[in-house]
């Protein structure tokens, strides 16, 4: 069973997804993209029973978008489905400090595969729990912000917000 709900966050509309075992999805979208956000969820979890249940997912929203609530509470539990390589990349992303940015090459070096920056980019792009697994903190080595599932403007807004929060 997977509970999901739509929320208005600091950075726009998002689809929040949880199970009894933890958070398994958080995706930003434009309001007109709501049906495709749900279709993506159904595609990712084909054998799950999906239930729209804002009450079941609400408790996590404040912990995700409120740094003080995140510091005071127990760690968030994540339920991830991916290849071993993807999981390794996502674990590396979680270690990037709030307000910092690194390159795809930096992540590849961190996981011990310095020539795998393109594969790292693919893993970053397939991150199912954006913001919580901070794929927005990865930029190109040329300092370009590159692609972001939620759009470059949203990525810049999140990075700016984090820079203020971390000071």
């Amino acid at each position: 069973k997977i509970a999901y709900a739509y929320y208005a966050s600091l950075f726009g509309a998002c689809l929040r997804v949880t199970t009894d075992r933890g958070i398994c999805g958080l995706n930003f979208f434009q309001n007109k993209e709501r049906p495709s956000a749900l279709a993506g969820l159904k595609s990712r979890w084909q054998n799950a029973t999906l239930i729209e249940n804002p009450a079941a997912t609400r408790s996590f929203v404040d912990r995700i978008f409120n740094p003080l609530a995140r510091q005071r509470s127990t760690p968030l539990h994540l339920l991830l489905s991916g290849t071993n390589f993807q999981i390794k990349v996502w674990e590396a992303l979680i270690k990037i400090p709030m307000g910092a940015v690194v390159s795809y090459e930096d992540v590849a070096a961190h996981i011990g595969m310095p020539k795998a920056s393109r594969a790292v980019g693919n893993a970053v792009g397939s991150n199912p729990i954006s913001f919580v697994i901070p794929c927005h903190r990865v930029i190109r080595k040329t300092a370009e912000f590159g692609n972001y599932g939620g759009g470059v403007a949203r990525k810049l807004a999140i990075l700016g917000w984090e820079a203020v929060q971390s000071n």
Side-chain angles (χ1 to χ4, degrees):
K1 284 185 175 181
I2 294 180
Y4 72 93
Y6 301 98
Y7 290 99
S9 76
L10 295 169
F11 310 109
C14 66
L15 175 63
R16 177 78 185 78
V17 187
T18 62
T19 71
D20 290 341
R21 293 173 54 199
I23 299 166
C24 62
L26 187 135
N27 299 310
F28 294 105
F29 62 91
Q30 301 297 332
N31 281 330
K32 65 182 182 213
E33 298 167 347
R34 185 181 271 214
S36 63
L38 184 57
L41 172 62
K42 289 178 180 177
S43 173
R44 184 165 186 84
W45 299 98
Q46 295 175 9
N47 297 322
T49 301
L50 302 176
I51 303 162
E52 186 169 5
N53 186 347
T57 62
R58 184 70 191 138
S59 65
F60 294 103
V61 173
D62 189 48
R63 290 177 60 198
I64 290 170
F65 295 111
N66 181 338
L68 294 177
R70 212 190 295 185
Q71 290 172 358
R72 290 188 303 247
S73 63
T74 58
L76 294 168
H77 293 278
L78 307 180
L79 176 61
L80 293 167
S81 175
T83 67
N84 290 339
F85 181 81
Q86 288 172 323
I87 300 293
K88 190 182 262 193
V89 169
W90 299 335
E91 287 173 341
L93 297 182
I94 290 171
K95 294 175 184 173
I96 303 168
M98 183 183 234
V101 293
V102 300
S103 70
Y104 295 99
E105 289 80 3
D106 294 334
V107 176
H110 179 80
I111 65 169
M113 302 180 78
K115 296 185 186 233
S117 59
R118 188 171 293 228
V120 165
N122 288 331
V124 169
S126 61
N127 171 14
I129 311 174
S130 61
F131 192 82
V132 177
I133 298 175
C135 53
H136 58 275
R137 296 179 188 156
V138 183
I139 63 172
R140 294 179 181 154
K141 68 180 174 183
T142 60
E144 292 177 70
F145 287 96
N147 297 330
Y148 181 64
V152 174
R154 184 172 284 136
K155 183 173 185 166
L156 289 169
I158 293 170
L159 289 172
W161 178 82
E162 285 188 346
V164 169
Q165 300 301 314
S166 61
N167 286 330

